[in-house]
Amino acid sequence: MSARSFLIAVIAVATCATQAHALSAEGSIGVVSDYRWRGASMSGENPSLQAEATLSADSGFWLWGGANSVGSDYGGTELEIGAGYTHDVAGVEWTLGAERYAYPGEEGIDYIEVDFSGVAKLGALSLSGGVEYTPEQDNYDEDDTYLWTSAEYAFDRVRLHGKIGRNDGVMAPAPHAVDYSVGAAIPLRAVELDFSYVDSEDYDAAWVLGLAYHWSNE
């Protein structure tokens, strides 16, 4: 799919989301000591400024966008836009979406991704899993599949979280690349402090410190 076609599709979803439906907005802005994506550093092991926002309708449709600072290998800036639909079935929150990742400062690495995930909440415990699929497209002559599962447990004011994923395809540094992370998030007044350990069989491990302000109109 071309960038123009994808943007047309996003606009169509946004139109569906805003017609005769109550809207809510949420987002965050923050900084991390190292922007890690599937175990790899997108920021050259340097700090990264990050921001994102989501506009959701009570029908389940949503529109999402974000921006991150990245390393010079990726042109310095990563821009994201996406749209999708979320619906609860049998106590599981299912989400189907599509996103476009653009790097204005670097040619030949933009891509479109389709993802499907589910979240089940069991009291203070949340279990998640999903697949992120990058089809063959202009900048990639092969497809890519990333399978992941995660867990989150909240008690008092602390949120513990962990994730493991496996990458197969053109974006993987090896035929089969596995990464994982474990960490804890603690609210500090208006911001949230997150401290995580990120590792991969193909990249150096790192301790990542993050600080973010979350907002919502609800």
Side-chain angles (χ1 to χ4, degrees):
M1 179 185 287
S2 67
R4 180 179 178 183
S5 299
F6 182 78
L7 290 175
I8 291 174
V10 169
I11 292 172
V13 171
T15 301
C16 292
T18 56
Q19 288 182 344
H21 291 287
L23 298 176
S24 62
E26 62 180 0
S28 66
I29 182 169
V31 60
V32 293
S33 60
D34 188 358
Y35 174 18
R36 290 279 170 150
W37 178 82
R38 302 181 185 177
S41 177
M42 296 289 291
S43 57
E45 300 184 354
N46 293 312
S48 168
L49 296 175
Q50 304 184 330
E52 65 175 11
T54 303
L55 181 66
S56 305
D58 58 5
S59 61
F61 287 101
W62 49 265
L63 181 66
W64 169 80
N68 304 311
S69 61
V70 294
S72 57
D73 289 345
Y74 301 97
T77 303
E78 177 185 72
L79 301 177
E80 310 142 345
I81 186 170
Y85 179 72
T86 299
H87 187 66
D88 192 291
V89 178
V92 179
E93 188 177 79
W94 299 100
T95 296
L96 177 64
E99 295 82 30
R100 177 174 178 81
Y101 294 82
Y103 304 86
E106 186 69 26
E107 296 183 357
I109 58 175
D110 295 3
Y111 66 96
I112 295 171
E113 180 180 85
V114 179
D115 58 73
F116 178 70
S117 63
V119 181
K121 295 184 178 180
L122 307 171
L125 177 65
S126 295
L127 301 175
S128 306
V131 57
E132 298 168 9
Y133 177 68
T134 303
E136 180 181 334
Q137 52 196 278
D138 291 344
N139 292 331
Y140 299 91
D141 56 5
E142 297 179 25
D143 63 355
D144 186 87
T145 302
Y146 183 70
L147 298 172
W148 61 270
T149 184
S150 67
E152 183 177 294
Y153 183 77
F155 65 96
D156 292 333
R157 293 165 53 85
V158 179
R159 181 169 55 86
L160 304 178
H161 56 84
K163 178 182 178 181
I164 185 169
R166 171 173 163 142
N167 198 179
D168 294 277
V170 67
M171 292 185 175
H176 310 293
V178 176
D179 67 274
Y180 71 91
S181 66
V182 291
I186 305 171
L188 299 175
R189 298 197 179 194
V191 298
E192 182 179 66
L193 177 68
D194 189 285
F195 194 53
S196 300
Y197 179 77
V198 183
D199 197 6
S200 167
E201 58 185 347
D202 297 288
Y203 300 104
D204 292 336
W207 288 98
V208 178
L209 180 65
L211 193 65
Y213 169 74
H214 300 271
W215 58 269
S216 173
N217 70 343
E218 294 185 333

